[in-house]
Amino acid sequence: MPHPVMFDESDPLLARVRGLALTFPGAAEKISHGRPFFYTKTAFAVYGGSVKATGAQFPRSLLVKPDTAEHDALLGQRHTFTPAYLGPSGWIGFDLDRADVDWDEVDWDEVAELLDMSFRVTAPARLVRELDGRVG
């Protein structure tokens, strides 16, 4: 039995995340477990998540795998959470739909930095070198 779709294709936050994520070398998108996964050889970002212990849903969030040196500092922010299933592997959730912020006020530079960090942690070395060649 396939997982139900757990996102709205017309969501402007998803469109913005997609626009950022798919600019990385070799990046592609697939639907897995009902959510958009952005990947190269393995996932570097997921749109939407939840917290296993509480069942709290964060359907308009971004899950990323930060560098281990940044993990705890990122989790200390009020708009981050430890996501179900991926959290024990070092992933964090970044809630894009916080009640205190309108969607157009999301810090998209921070989102881009999180995507970049996660890409560098998960992507094959040749794709990271390709990315570095673009910016250098």
Side-chain angles (χ1 to χ4, degrees):
M1 168 188 261
H3 290 273
V5 172
M6 294 189 276
F7 65 97
D8 178 355
E9 187 62 48
S10 66
D11 182 348
L13 292 175
L14 172 58
R16 192 83 181 261
V17 166
R18 183 179 280 141
L20 292 169
L22 294 178
T23 63
F24 289 94
E29 178 182 354
K30 66 182 174 183
I31 306 305
S32 181
H33 297 84
R35 300 187 188 280
F37 274 61
F38 300 95
Y39 69 98
T40 57
K41 184 177 179 183
T42 187
F44 68 91
V46 180
Y47 186 76
S50 64
V51 178
K52 188 173 185 177
T54 64
Q57 297 293 309
F58 295 92
R60 299 175 83 200
S61 63
L62 177 66
L63 309 185
V64 293
K65 186 167 186 175
D67 182 280
T68 53
E70 299 289 329
H71 183 271
D72 291 345
L74 287 168
L75 270 182
Q77 297 178 14
R78 65 186 169 131
H79 55 275
T80 61
F81 61 96
T82 301
Y85 308 108
L86 296 175
S89 297
W91 288 67
I92 63 152
F94 183 91
D95 186 12
L96 299 170
D97 196 27
R98 299 182 310 271
D100 61 330
V101 176
D102 292 329
W103 79 267
D104 60 343
E105 294 180 23
V106 170
D107 184 345
W108 290 105
D109 289 336
E110 182 177 10
V111 171
E113 289 172 12
L114 290 171
L115 287 167
D116 182 83
M117 185 185 327
S118 190
F119 178 86
R120 290 174 183 281
V121 168
T122 62
R126 68 177 175 76
L127 293 178
V128 174
R129 284 192 303 274
E130 184 179 334
L131 176 63
D132 288 340
R134 288 182 184 178
V135 261

